[in-house]
Amino acid sequence: MASKPDVYEILGVSKEASQDEIKSAYRKLAKKYHPDANSNGEASADKFKEATMAYEILSDPQKRATYDRYGFDAFDPSKAGNGYGGFGFEDLSGFGDLFDILFGSSRTGGNRRPSGPQKGADREMRIEITLEDAVYGTKRNIEITRSEKCAKCDGSGVGEGGKVDTCSRCQGTGQHRTVQSTPFGRFESVKPCPSCRGEGKTIDKPCPECKGTGKAKAVRNINVTIPAGIEHGSRLRIQGEGEAGTRGGPAGDLYVGVLVKAHPRYKRDGVHLYFEQKIDFAQAALGAQMTIKLLDSSEYELQIPEGTQPGDMITIKGKGVPYLGSSRSGDLHVLITVTIPRKLNKHQREILQQFHGEPNTEDDKDGRRGFFDKFRRDATG
């Protein structure tokens, strides 16, 4: 028998673990690695078998005691005559069915496929939009490849001149039943019939286009409406644009994840927009009116108050982001930054030196106003 890791290590429990701890550890591993719930192929199947083997040893007090004393040799059939038990755990193919028993599926119907109409699988994709599109809304045309009802056979899977018969192997039940004998008793397994894939019916002449599946791949263009005010990371559900259903069932849905690209000048915070506007020292001191471009490229006359300080925020009501499904909008906040000249000419220096000596406090309104009048006169004269 090939060497195996310690069964306690396989389940991730200590040698003093209780039966509840052992059972809980096995449940987690079985759910993680069971082949019917995992697409990782043989690697997951091997992990599941290994965990099942460890659980079957540790869940039985007698086998656990035997393992603690002799190790895996006690379960090697080739050593059954050497004083060991020889339980024979090398072939674990039958333990996959224990998953259904341990986790609540019935022995007779745990793997049975529903025979009625089934909704198709959902699809998901992502699109990237600009901040302008997110704020004001837009429409996008996206291309998707999906399975649809085969046009040649109208989804029946039957080719021209063909017919549908009851499956001779499962007699129309869609199930294949097997009984396996293990060291722990007989276990009954019910799986989809391999001849009819659980359908309970067979087709003597399958449709050549869809090979009897009733589905065919198709490329479709779908119009997506992006609502105004949508946020980065939102998902849009488009009903009935997913994969085709089976046995006359409805199509699945398409989920479109929306990613919003960063804007070079505007920033968003919920329903509010933020924009940085640079002004010079004179505009900050004297006040100014300037034309700025809003996010939608329209122009807005921004009034800079006299005595504006670096870091002041000017709020423009209703020029932010619309509330989803509402006519209301947030605000646009304009952050003022004042640029300081690195070099001054003689006249500019004289004006600033004069400013330095003038009274300019909140308590001396007349002095402040007098300086601004002089500054304005000197700057323009």
Side-chain angles (χ1 to χ4, degrees), residues 131-146:
L131 180 60
E132 292 90 335
D133 291 339
V135 172
Y136 303 113
T138 187
K139 292 183 181 292
R140 283 292 185 88
N141 186 274
I142 59 176
E143 185 177 271
I144 183 173
T145 301
R146 67 187 181 193

Side-chain angles (χ1 to χ4, degrees), residues 169-209:
R169 183 168 184 173
C170 67
Q171 303 302 314
T173 64
Q175 298 178 341
H176 178 64
R177 192 183 308 271
T178 59
V179 178
Q180 293 177 308
S181 296
T182 74
F184 312 103
R186 290 164 58 86
F187 292 97
E188 186 175 304
S189 170
V190 179
K191 297 181 178 180
C193 174
S195 297
C196 63
R197 301 189 301 276
E199 301 291 337
K201 298 178 181 180
T202 57
I203 302 171
D204 61 349
K205 292 182 180 180
C207 170
E209 187 72 25

